[in-house]
Amino acid sequence: MPRHNERKYPIVTAFQRPFNAVMRRLPTQTLLETTGRTSGLPRRTPLGGRRVGDSFWLVSEFGERSQYVRNIKADPRVRVRLRGRWHHGVAHLLPDDDPIARLRGLPRVNSVGVRAMGAGLLTVRVDLTD
């Protein structure tokens, strides 16, 4: 990872922690719930993405460095809250997918933020089971 990208991570995560704490409480915010790989507790992350059929697509702005991606690697069973309703699913990390091209099909405001603040982007697909 280039040095300037390495500096982005602590700056962006310091900003996101308080912001995400507020966003998690909004009833219409899309959330991804993973199981903490160490604690075993539910971890909820506000994010942007789009449902396409029986799948939910998103791009992780820090790829495998993101905590929720690390949790997915340990246990791919997740839940996604869409429009206030929870859906169970199985997450798949797609390193061979083009995350920049994928962002073009996802909500614009979130995609701009992910491209501007992210480094090491990674596509994630959640196959919804209900």
Side-chain angles (χ1 to χ4, degrees), residues 23-24 26-31 46-48 81-84:
M23 296 303 289
R24 269 191 292 273
L26 298 177
T28 58
Q29 174 65 46
T30 299
L31 296 177
L47 45 74
R81 186 176 77 183
L82 301 169
R83 297 186 178 137

Side-chain angles (χ1 to χ4, degrees), residues 5-15 17 62 65:
N5 287 343
E6 194 62 35
R7 288 190 299 240
K8 276 185 177 184
Y9 183 77
I11 294 167
V12 172
T13 55
F15 166 77
R17 280 191 181 108
F62 286 105
R65 196 166 183 185

Side-chain angles (χ1 to χ4, degrees), residues 34-38 41-43 45 66-78:
T34 60
T35 301
R37 63 193 175 283
T38 303
L41 298 173
R43 301 296 183 198
T45 305
S66 295
Q67 298 302 316
Y68 68 87
V69 170
R70 290 177 180 185
N71 290 341
I72 288 169
K73 287 176 84 170
D75 183 355
R77 294 170 299 168
V78 300

